[in-house]
């Protein structure tokens, strides 16, 4: 298994350094791709819809559990980075810590899958980005294929497990709703929702109608 893993690593990493455009894309995915996920989570949260906020909370809970598992696996099955034991095409700098499983692949797929569980159309785009990050970690020489595959499976499995667990538990759903309500009360004081123009016009029309009715009663 490990020999096949290394052979596959050589094939993917062996392409690095020969295609400048692909190298640039892979370095971006490897170094900065995770920040796109951070930005996405923030944007979804501040759309101020309950379904998105539940999704974000599921993603964060799944990520915490997944990272806990990766920490345990990294200690039990410590594996050197490819550049520690082999000559590789190293396109980015990285500390020589545990290689298995890949934290980047785990994080990308746990968040992407959490989004996919709630918002299918959006989720496919996020999964594509997660796949790009996963491949880039091998391309740039900081992970073996088995590292990122394990991270991928861990991220997907954790996110789906948490989503299904929450769907089956009314108690957890109630707790999530309460947390969101408490936050929204605080948010409303700091950042109140602005009344839309259409809603404002409608309310103004209703007010004028009521005032007219009151006037008519007085004149009668």
């Amino acid at each position: 298994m490990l020999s096949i893993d290394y052979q596959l690593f050589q094939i993917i990493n062996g392409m690095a350094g020969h295609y400048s455009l692909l190298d640039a894309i892979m370095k971006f995915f490897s170094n900065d791709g995770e920040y796109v996920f951070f930005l996405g989570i923030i944007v979804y949260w501040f759309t101020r819809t309950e379904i998105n906020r539940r999704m974000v909370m599921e993603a964060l809970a799944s990520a915490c559990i997944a990272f806990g598992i990766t920490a345990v696996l990294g200690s039990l099955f410590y594996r050197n980075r490819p550049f520690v034991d082999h000559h590789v095409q190293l396109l980015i700098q990285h500390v020589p810590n545990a290689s298995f499983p890949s934290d980047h692949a785990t994080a990308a797929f746990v968040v992407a899958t959490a989004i996919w569980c709630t918002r299918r159309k959006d989720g496919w785009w996020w999964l594509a980005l997660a796949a790009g990050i996963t491949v880039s970690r091998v391309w740039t020489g900081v992970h073996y294929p088995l590292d990122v595959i394990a991270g991928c499976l861990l991220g997907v499995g954790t996110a789906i497990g948490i989503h299904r667990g929450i769907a089956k538990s009314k108690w957890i759903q109630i707790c999530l709703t309460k947390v969101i309500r408490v936050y929204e009360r605080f948010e409303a004081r700091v950042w109140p929702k602005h009344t839309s123009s259409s809603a404002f016009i409608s309310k103004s029309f209703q007010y004028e109608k009521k005032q007219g009715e009151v006037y008519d009663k007085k004149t009668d």
Side-chain angles (χ1 to χ4, degrees), residues 13-35:
N13 181 248
M15 292 186 285
H18 299 288
Y19 309 96
S20 57
L21 179 59
L22 277 177
D23 286 345
I25 293 172
M26 291 300 174
K27 284 193 285 187
F28 170 78
F29 279 151
S30 193
N31 282 326
D32 304 314
E34 60 182 337
Y35 297 113

Side-chain angles (χ1 to χ4, degrees), residues 102-138:
S102 168
D103 287 338
H104 278 73
T106 302
F109 271 97
V110 78
V111 175
T113 304
I115 295 173
W116 180 85
C117 286
T118 301
R119 305 178 65 90
R120 286 288 193 272
K121 290 182 179 180
D122 291 6
W124 289 118
W125 289 103
W126 289 108
L127 286 170
L129 176 58
I133 291 174
T134 298
V135 173
S136 74
R137 300 299 285 179
V138 181

Side-chain angles (χ1 to χ4, degrees), residues 170-220:
K170 291 184 179 179
W171 181 81
I172 296 178
Q173 292 180 41
I174 291 171
C175 288
L176 287 177
T177 300
K178 287 184 177 180
V179 171
I180 292 173
R181 293 292 177 270
V182 170
Y183 169 81
E184 287 178 341
R185 283 198 292 269
F186 169 77
E187 182 185 58
R189 297 177 183 177
V190 180
W191 182 25
K193 288 185 177 181
H194 296 291
T195 305
S196 65
S197 58
S198 59
F200 178 76
I201 293 171
S202 177
K203 288 182 178 180
S204 299
F205 177 76
Q206 292 175 6
Y207 175 77
E208 290 176 0
K209 185 178 180 181
K210 287 181 180 179
Q211 290 295 100
E213 290 174 353
V214 170
Y215 178 78
D216 290 339
K217 287 180 180 179
K218 287 181 178 180
T219 55
D220 290 343

Side-chain angles (χ1 to χ4, degrees), residues 52-87:
N52 282 348
R53 286 183 167 170
R54 282 176 174 270
M55 179 184 73
V56 169
M57 293 178 73
E58 281 188 22
L60 295 178
S62 300
C64 289
I65 294 172
F67 278 128
I69 297 172
T70 60
V72 173
L73 291 176
S75 300
L76 294 177
F77 306 101
Y78 188 89
R79 189 184 194 189
N80 285 329
R81 297 272 175 177
F83 57 82
V84 173
D85 296 330
H86 306 284
H87 175 73

